[in-house]
Amino acid sequence: MRLNKSEIDKISSLMIKHLTEKNILVKTAKQDNTKSIIYNVIYDDMLEEEKLNEEVKNIMESYESELKSGKVDYNKLFNMIKHQLIKERKLVI
């Protein structure tokens, strides 16, 4: 699921709050910087997954005839290729 920027911001804030409440993170004046780092990690990860999805779609073009004939299910093939690329590249998605 694609998150918008306000949702990423909210998740980042909730993470800071939770980590602070659990005494894993200490409140400081630089808390906004920490939130920004968390935001950027989430955002960058989403961008990487979008790039991966585009690459999978490009690979799937070679299976166009099988997809059109119904021999292969689009979603199953998409997920199979995506998981294979994740495994080969040792990605965490």
Side-chain angles (χ1 to χ4, degrees):
M1 180 179 100
R2 175 92 169 115
L3 300 172
N4 63 43
K5 290 182 179 186
S6 67
E7 290 169 327
I8 297 172
D9 187 62
K10 185 174 182 178
I11 290 170
S12 302
S13 295
L14 289 171
M15 289 179 72
I16 294 291
K17 180 182 176 197
H18 178 74
L19 293 171
T20 303
E21 288 172 353
K22 297 287 183 179
N23 294 321
I24 297 171
L25 185 66
V26 179
K27 278 189 176 184
T28 65
K30 295 185 179 185
Q31 193 164 340
D32 285 341
N33 188 36
T34 304
K35 180 182 171 188
S36 176
I37 292 169
I38 292 171
Y39 178 98
N40 289 332
V41 167
I42 294 170
Y43 186 79
D44 291 346
D45 187 60
M46 285 179 45
L47 289 179
E48 284 300 313
E49 187 168 8
E50 284 181 11
K51 288 179 191 175
L52 181 65
N53 288 343
E54 285 302 314
E55 186 176 348
V56 171
K57 289 176 186 176
N58 290 335
I59 292 170
M60 288 182 64
E61 289 177 2
S62 64
Y63 295 96
E64 187 174 347
S65 62
E66 289 89 345
L67 290 166
K68 285 183 179 179
S69 69
K71 292 179 183 177
V72 179
D73 178 77
Y74 180 90
N75 290 327
K76 285 183 181 180
L77 181 61
F78 184 92
N79 287 327
M80 185 178 75
I81 294 170
K82 185 174 179 178
H83 289 314
Q84 183 64 34
L85 292 176
I86 289 169
K87 183 179 177 181
E88 287 173 3
R89 298 174 185 176
K90 298 178 183 175
L91 300 173
V92 177
I93 302 274

